[in-house]
Amino acid sequence: MLDAALAVLVLVGAFFTLVGSWGLAKMPDFFMRLHGPTKASTLGVGAVLVASALYFSFNTDGVSLHEVLVTLFLFMTAPVSAHMMAKAALHLKLKQVERTRSAVVESGVANSYDGTSFRRKE
Amino acid sequence: MLSMVLPLAFGMVSLALLLSLYRLLVGPSVPDRILALDTLYLNTIALLILFGLMQGSPLYFEAALLIAVMGFVGTIALSKYLLRGDIME
Amino acid sequence: MWNKVLPHPLLSVFLLLVWLLLNNTVAMGHVVLGAVLALLIPLLTLGFWPERVVVRHPWVLLKFLLVVLWDIVVANLHVAALILGSARTLQPAFMVMELDIRSPLGASILANTISLTPGTVSCELSTDRRQLLIHALHVDDVDASLREMKQRYERPLMEVLQVC
């Protein structure tokens, strides 16, 4: 029973990790690439870590919970690093796919960022 | 059952590593490469944990924790450098 | 008096938990050492924590955490399907969310939640902390998805967090 649960967790984890990297390799622009690793890969690695926590809790004496720490850490840091990379990409004005709809804020378009608000740089 | 699934999981994560490596080499922009590096860290953590499961040894966990911490700091430092041209202000 | 000794009770509890998890034990020695660290670190880093956070409704917080956890799983299946499908049919968009939440901690938790859930990544916060720029991988109706995120995540966060 435990063995089957572990196998499922490991497989699901590996699958999501693969999907994250697949998205990274396949998507046409940076902002779309950002989605794969921040969500899919994080959940995938989380699932593998939970499998490891279960395995060592049941196969050695005593509970092994320190994997939870890495999972927590990853879930807290992944959005932060995604945010920083997106900031850098906006700052460098990377190209987006043409069909990306832009957000209209106050007097301008959000896709170019001027550092104070999301107004278009004149 | 776990021992049957593990090689398959290794294969999938290795493929993920290769795909990230492709993005790291191709680019085309610097944030793309930083993102690829960040994904490589994540995949490496998964690979290490899987290796620990295969060996039945909890030792590899410490390495995974270190990679997680260092990877995060590295990503932030590189993004910050692109944003400001400087890491510490 | 307690404010001086224990300026951030939540942070202290969190530090103690992290210490015990790091050492993977609940031995008495480590509990004591962890408690000492949990008392000292908040005092030493007092300057970095300008706002005092008080959690008002623990049950709302718990419900929020469960909702987010569930959403992470659902959103991941959704994003996985999008990634494996054709990239040409995706409709990416930038959206701007008007923030009602004023607490800096609340805003950052909200931004992180948005990054982890439904196909969206928070990209930028305006300097006055009133607008959040979000990139979505695939969205049909921008306004509807903004309304849903506000309802689902911002409302409970505003209920829970109180800054004094």
Side-chain angles (χ1 to χ4, degrees), chain C residues 31-107:
Chain C
V31 175
V32 172
L33 189 53
V36 170
L37 287 174
L39 282 177
L40 279 183
I41 292 176
L43 285 177
L44 289 175
T45 56
L46 208 54
F48 296 112
W49 304 91
E51 59 172 329
R52 244 179 90 84
V53 179
V54 176
V55 174
R56 275 190 300 183
H57 305 288
W59 290 112
V60 180
L61 182 67
L62 194 69
K63 196 175 150 237
F64 173 74
L65 287 179
L66 288 178
V67 165
V68 168
L69 214 61
W70 174 248
D71 280 4
I72 287 175
V73 176
V74 173
N76 268 289
L77 290 172
H78 183 63
V79 168
L82 289 179
I83 287 176
L84 293 176
S86 163
R88 260 189 224 120
T89 54
L90 291 181
Q91 298 287 328
F94 276 101
M95 323 188 263
V96 169
M97 185 192 253
E98 303 285 334
L99 294 181
D100 293 319
I101 198 163
R102 285 285 90 87
S103 130
L105 179 72

Side-chain angles (χ1 to χ4, degrees), chain A residues 15-16 19 22-23 26-28 31-32 34-36 38-40 43 63-66 69 75-76 79-80 82-83 86-87 90 96 99-103 105-106 110-111 113 115-118, chain C residues 14 18 21-22 24 72 76-77 79-80 82-88 90-96 112 115-117 119-127 131-133 135-137 139-140 142:
Chain A
F15 172 73
F16 273 112
V19 165
W22 181 254
K26 171 188 168 189
M27 287 298 167
F31 294 97
M32 290 168 84
L34 200 54
H35 289 274
T38 46
K39 288 194 253 313
L43 186 77
V63 209
S64 166
L65 278 180
H66 55 186
L69 198 65
F75 272 95
M76 281 194 303
V80 178
H83 186 88
K87 255 175 123 104
L90 280 173
Q96 295 131 19
R99 60 178 184 278
T100 303
R101 279 160 289 164
S102 45
V105 191
E106 288 158 25
N111 286 15
Y113 165 70
T116 50
S117 182
F118 306 126
Chain C
F14 184 71
V18 166
L21 280 174
L22 257 181
N24 214 3
I72 287 175
N76 268 289
L77 290 172
V79 168
L82 289 179
I83 287 176
L84 293 176
S86 163
R88 260 189 224 120
L90 291 181
Q91 298 287 328
F94 276 101
M95 323 188 263
V96 169
N112 283 11
S115 288
L116 277 175
T117 44
T120 45
V121 170
S122 60
C123 293
E124 185 67 80
L125 187 67
S126 65
T127 39
Q131 291 171 318
L132 185 67
L133 182 68
H135 182 268
L137 183 59
V139 62
D140 291 320
V142 172

Side-chain angles (χ1 to χ4, degrees), chain A residues 3-4 6-8 10-11 13-18 20-27 29-30 33-35 37-38 41-42 44-45 48-49 51-52 55-56 60 64 66-70 73-74 76-78 80-82 84-85 87-89 91-92 94, chain B residues 1-3 5-6 8-13 15-17 19-23 27-36 38-39 42-43 45-46 49-50 52-59 61-62 64-65 68-70 72 75-76 78-80 82-84:
Chain A
D3 205 34
L6 284 181
V8 168
V10 164
L11 260 192
F15 172 73
F16 273 112
T17 315
L18 180 57
S21 295
W22 181 254
L24 175 74
K26 171 188 168 189
M27 287 298 167
D29 75 9
F30 173 78
R33 277 175 212 139
L34 200 54
H35 289 274
T38 46
S41 294
T42 310
V45 177
V48 172
L49 281 163
S52 165
Y55 179 86
F56 287 112
T60 54
S64 166
H66 55 186
E67 283 90 348
V68 177
L69 198 65
V70 185
F73 183 79
L74 282 181
M76 281 194 303
T77 55
V80 178
S81 33
M84 288 304 289
M85 285 186 277
K87 255 175 123 104
H91 180 73
L92 296 178
L94 290 192
Chain B
M1 199 147 131
L2 184 64
S3 51
V5 164
L6 272 178
L8 187 61
F10 267 107
M12 284 158 101
V13 177
L15 189 58
L17 274 167
L19 286 168
S20 314
L21 185 65
Y22 163 78
R23 185 49 71 195
S29 63
V30 187
D32 278 308
R33 290 177 210 267
I34 300 178
L35 181 60
D38 194 56
T39 317
L42 271 178
N43 294 344
I45 295 171
I49 297 291
L50 284 177
L53 275 177
M54 197 174 81
Q55 303 276 311
S57 143
L59 277 179
F61 162 80
E62 316 285 335
L65 183 63
V69 175
M70 290 299 160
F72 173 63
T75 308
I76 295 296
L78 285 168
S79 308
K80 196 92 182 151
L82 282 187
L83 267 174
R84 307 278 162 117

Side-chain angles (χ1 to χ4, degrees), chain C residues 9-24:
Chain C
L10 281 178
L11 179 66
S12 298
V13 172
F14 184 71
L15 281 171
L16 178 58
L17 273 179
V18 166
W19 180 259
L20 291 179
L21 280 174
L22 257 181
N23 287 295
N24 214 3

